[in-house]
Amino acid sequence: MYKNLRDTLTVKGISVKSYAEFLGISEKSVLNKIKEDTDFTYPEYRKTCKFLLPEFSPDYLFATDKP
């Protein structure tokens, strides 16, 4: 799970619905991506890091707890 991304969205007051709209995908898709059931595409990753949360390191946002 991308816990840092999920927590950062929560702290910044960005809902899953808003994040999904920002990425142009469904809420279910966002939840699947945050849970690592499916992968973020490079454009989604880049858009998140460059335009939505540029003050955070991509390594921090997309750190995973999978071994």
Side-chain angles (χ1 to χ4, degrees), residues 9-47:
L9 291 171
T10 300
V11 167
K12 299 279 282 179
I14 301 169
S15 68
V16 171
K17 181 178 181 179
S18 295
Y19 186 45
E21 289 172 359
F22 173 76
L23 293 177
I25 59 177
S26 71
E27 289 180 60
K28 180 68 174 162
S29 291
V30 166
L31 292 171
N32 285 336
K33 290 171 188 276
I34 290 174
K35 291 188 302 186
E36 293 185 83
D37 291 340
T38 57
D39 294 329
F40 279 92
T41 64
Y42 180 72
E44 292 165 347
Y45 165 86
R46 191 169 190 301
K47 196 173 180 183

